[in-house]
């Protein structure tokens, strides 16, 4: 096989390919042998019918069509390898005039053109190192406090309240009567946790301040589906009981009896050690993710190419289904466990695919700018890291399948990512403390 010419226009690579006559003849001979084995020809044992008999019985086009298909199937991975491309769609094979493909002919070189759609190659608005915020490597008091508070939350109790109105995080029993367009909310003795979102936000806000046995009519306008008219809804709510959320105070006694530590200080030391170990494991991945996300924000691409997004979508979907299969779970079981519809899952996966596609294109752009290459040593190291027993055999298999360009793509992206992480301008921020401050500000504003 010989690629005599290739060029790219509007994201489409067109290559002219010539398969030598000798290879064509071998493919045609094999095709005739296969036809002779597949069909019964009167007077001949299976596989022994000569070519003239086959041509007379089924026509010469059948064997030549099979030979042509075999030649193209064998050529496809070789073309991808030689051009070193990872197309977003299968190749579109044409004759030299870019019309319907011709059949290969005995004794002649087989010349054809193939077109591959390539992924976009947008630029970045800047190729400078990215700036990101990261949690400090050292454990902060705010992080310890947050972890301790989470442990204490498991010990929360609810106590009846009669001397005040409803507040956030109270547990209520409410009788709800449908007044207008609120049939789904109606019911006696409905359990409501204020702030959980089990009721419309307007209803939860209206309940705040109400006391036991107090009734109130509440109206609001729910959001309407696209193309539908929003209609006002109304209910009559009667608070039957209020139970306040009581979090126990952390004392040495509680630390010992409930959590098995000699003191509060010992408990906090243990929590600190656990956070340290968690940070050591997670921070490198967090840094890489934030660097790539920041880089993707510089991508000069308004709308993602549908075909490329779809190719990423399919890869993510196959990977997800494979992971589920390894866990012994079907997609339906997973959807049910996570209370998702198939439409919601597909929409979320498309959004993930769009994000991954943008990040990949951003890393590609950075790799081009840095003139990053994937050497043979890099390829060997990649297979060794994958833990394959026979590197050369695995490389040969990847080459035969046309998957080696994808390996080199992955290496170039990894190198670009390494540069990105190594050169990132990092500002350490106690994000846990900041989140706590923001929550306190919101509660004060309310």
């Amino acid at each position: 096989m010989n690629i005599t010419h290739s060029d790219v226009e509007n994201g489409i690579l067109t290559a002219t390919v010539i398969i030598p006559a000798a290879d064509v003849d071998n493919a045609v001979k094999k095709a005739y042998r296969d036809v002779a084995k597949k069909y019964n020809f009167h007077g001949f044992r299976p596989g022994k019918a000569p070519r003239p008999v086959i041509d007379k019985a089924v026509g010469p086009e059948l064997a030549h069509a099979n030979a042509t298909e075999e030649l193209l199937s064998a050529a496809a991975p070789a073309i991808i390898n030689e051009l070193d491309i990872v197309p977003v769609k299968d190749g579109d094979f044409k004759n030299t005039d870019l019309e319907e493909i011709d059949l290969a002919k005995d004794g002649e070189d087989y010349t054809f053109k193939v077109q591959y759609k390539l992924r976009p190659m947008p630029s970045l608005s800047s190729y400078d190192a990215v700036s990101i915020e990261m949690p400090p490597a050292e454990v902060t008091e705010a992080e310890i406090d947050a972890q301790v508070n989470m442990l204490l939350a498991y010990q929360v109790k609810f106590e009846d309240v009669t001397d005040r109105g409803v507040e956030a995080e109270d547990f209520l029993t409410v009788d709800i009567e449908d007044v207008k367009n609120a049939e789904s909310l109606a019911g006696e003795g409905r359990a409501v946790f204020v702030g959980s979102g089990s009721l419309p936000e307007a209803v939860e806000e209206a309940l705040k301040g109400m006391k036991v046995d107090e009734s109130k009519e509440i109206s609001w306008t729910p959001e309407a589906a696209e193309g539908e008219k929003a209609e006002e809804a109304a209910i009559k709510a009667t608070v039957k009981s209020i139970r306040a959320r009581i979090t126990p105070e952390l004392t040495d006694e509680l630390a010992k009896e409930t959590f098995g530590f000699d003191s509060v200080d010992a408990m906090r030391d243990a929590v600190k050690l656990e956070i340290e170990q968690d940070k050591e494991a997670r921070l490198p991945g967090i840094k890489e993710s934030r660097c790539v996300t920041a880089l993707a924000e510089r991508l000069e691409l308004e709308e993602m190419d549908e075909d490329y997004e779809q190719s990423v979508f399919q890869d993510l979907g196959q990977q997800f289904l494979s992971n589920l299969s390894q866990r012994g779970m079907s997609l339906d079981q997973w959807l049910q466990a996570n209370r998702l519809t198939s439409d919601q899952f597909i929409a979320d996966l498309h959004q993930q695919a769009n994000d991954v596609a943008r990040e990949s294109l951003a890393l590609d752009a950075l790799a081009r700018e840095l003139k990053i290459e994937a050497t043979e040593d890099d390829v060997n190291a990649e297979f060794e890291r994958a833990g394959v027993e026979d590197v050369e055999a695995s490389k040969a298999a990847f080459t035969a399948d046309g998957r080696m360009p994808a390996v080199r793509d992955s290496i170039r992206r990894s190198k670009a990512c390494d540069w990105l992480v190594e050169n990132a301008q990092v500002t350490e921020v106690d994000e846990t403390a900041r989140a706590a401050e923001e929550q306190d500000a919101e509660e004060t504003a309310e």
Side-chain angles (χ1 to χ4, degrees):
M1 185 201 75
N2 181 29
I3 298 177
T4 61
H5 178 72
S6 66
D7 58 52
V8 179
E9 185 175 353
N10 297 325
I12 303 295
L13 184 150
T14 302
T16 302
V17 183
I18 299 177
I19 297 178
D23 293 339
V24 173
D25 289 344
N26 289 334
V28 172
K29 290 176 183 177
K30 180 180 180 300
Y32 270 103
R33 289 195 300 269
D34 292 341
V35 171
K37 293 176 182 178
K38 184 175 181 180
Y39 298 98
N40 292 323
F41 295 93
H42 183 67
F44 297 91
R45 288 182 290 118
K48 298 300 182 179
R51 180 167 175 170
V53 173
I54 295 173
D55 287 346
K56 185 176 180 179
V58 298
E61 292 81 7
L62 177 60
H64 284 80
N66 291 346
T68 302
E69 183 177 352
E70 183 71 21
L71 288 168
L72 295 179
S73 296
I79 296 170
I80 289 174
N81 284 329
E82 185 166 337
L83 295 174
D84 195 22
I85 59 171
V86 183
V88 301
K89 298 174 70 175
D90 290 336
D92 186 11
F93 292 89
K94 303 287 187 180
N95 67 16
T96 53
D97 295 324
L98 294 178
E99 297 176 351
E100 192 67 27
I101 193 75
D102 295 325
L103 297 183
K105 297 178 181 179
D106 300 79
E108 296 182 11
D109 290 346
Y110 184 44
T111 303
F112 60 90
K113 289 189 176 182
V114 59
Q115 293 186 319
Y116 291 103
K117 181 171 183 180
L118 306 180
R119 59 177 176 265
M121 296 180 63
S123 302
L124 300 177
S125 59
S126 170
Y127 294 90
D128 295 337
V130 297
S131 298
I132 62 169
E133 291 184 350
M134 282 289 292
E138 299 295 325
V139 179
T140 68
E141 289 300 308
E143 290 170 334
I144 297 174
D145 290 341
Q147 185 71 13
V148 168
N149 290 337
M150 186 183 72
L151 294 173
L152 290 175
Y154 292 113
Q155 308 302 316
V156 163
K157 297 180 180 179
F158 288 89
E159 296 182 359
D160 289 330
V161 173
T162 58
D163 59 347
R164 65 165 175 79
V166 174
E167 296 179 358
E169 296 190 344
D170 281 346
F171 190 84
L172 316 178
T173 304
V174 185
D175 290 344
I176 298 179
E177 178 184 341
D178 173 33
V179 176
K180 183 180 180 181
N181 298 324
E183 298 88 347
S184 62
L185 300 183
E188 293 186 357
R190 283 204 54 174
V192 176
F193 183 70
V194 181
S196 67
S198 60
L199 293 177
E201 184 178 354
V203 175
E204 288 196 356
E205 286 300 316
L207 287 173
K208 292 179 182 179
M210 292 179 64
K211 295 184 176 181
V212 174
D213 294 329
E214 181 179 349
S215 297
K216 179 190 290 186
E217 186 167 309
I218 304 169
S219 61
W220 74 102
T221 303
E223 290 186 9
E226 186 175 353
E228 296 182 3
K229 182 180 179 181
E231 295 187 0
E232 185 183 55
I235 60 170
K236 180 181 178 182
T238 302
V239 177
K240 306 302 292 183
S241 69
I242 304 174
R243 302 183 70 198
R245 176 188 177 100
I246 307 298
T247 302
E249 180 184 357
L250 181 60
T251 62
D252 288 342
E253 183 179 2
L254 182 67
K256 187 170 185 177
E257 293 182 356
T258 303
F259 300 106
F261 297 100
D262 291 337
S263 65
V264 172
D265 288 342
M267 179 176 175
R268 290 180 68 86
D269 287 343
V271 168
K272 179 180 180 180
L273 179 61
E274 182 179 347
I275 296 174
E276 282 178 347
Q277 294 172 341
D278 182 64
K279 280 192 167 190
E280 185 177 355
R282 292 193 309 111
L283 285 184
I286 292 174
K287 183 178 182 181
E288 178 178 310
S289 177
R290 293 186 179 183
C291 284
V292 174
T293 298
L295 186 73
E297 292 173 356
R298 299 175 176 179
L299 194 68
E300 296 187 322
L301 182 69
E302 294 184 4
E303 188 173 345
M304 180 56 61
D305 179 84
E306 290 184 7
D307 289 325
Y308 180 51
E309 189 271 345
Q310 183 63 26
S311 71
V312 176
F313 172 84
Q314 291 174 346
D315 288 343
L316 291 178
Q318 290 172 359
Q319 182 180 355
F320 182 78
L321 292 176
S322 176
N323 291 339
L324 283 185
S325 178
Q326 292 175 6
R327 293 160 53 188
M329 180 180 286
S330 69
L331 178 59
D332 287 340
Q333 290 171 328
W334 185 87
L335 291 174
Q336 186 174 4
N338 288 273
R339 298 181 180 180
L340 290 173
T341 66
S342 57
D343 287 343
Q344 289 172 326
F345 169 72
I346 290 173
D348 182 63
L349 193 61
H350 271 297
Q351 182 58 56
Q352 291 182 45
N354 191 281
D355 293 341
V356 171
R358 294 187 68 85
E359 291 172 355
S360 298
L361 294 180
L363 287 172
D364 289 342
L366 180 60
R368 289 193 300 272
E369 176 69 15
L370 298 176
K371 295 180 173 54
I372 290 175
E373 297 294 338
T375 66
E376 195 62 26
D377 287 342
D378 293 329
V379 172
N380 290 334
E382 187 76 6
F383 279 91
E384 289 169 0
R385 278 193 293 269
V388 299
E389 293 184 3
D390 190 332
V391 171
E392 291 304 320
S394 295
K395 286 168 58 179
F398 270 63
T399 300
D401 292 339
R403 290 186 289 164
M404 196 58 77
V407 173
R408 287 190 284 269
D409 251 9
S410 177
I411 292 171
R412 284 188 284 265
R413 286 175 179 170
S414 293
K415 284 186 172 183
C417 188
D418 290 343
W419 182 92
L420 192 66
V421 171
E422 182 179 347
N423 291 278
Q425 304 298 312
V426 178
T427 301
E428 288 193 349
V429 176
D430 189 343
E431 296 172 354
T432 304
R434 182 169 63 184
E437 292 172 1
E438 290 174 352
Q439 184 175 353
D440 289 342
E442 288 179 4
E443 292 175 355
T444 301
E446 291 178 359

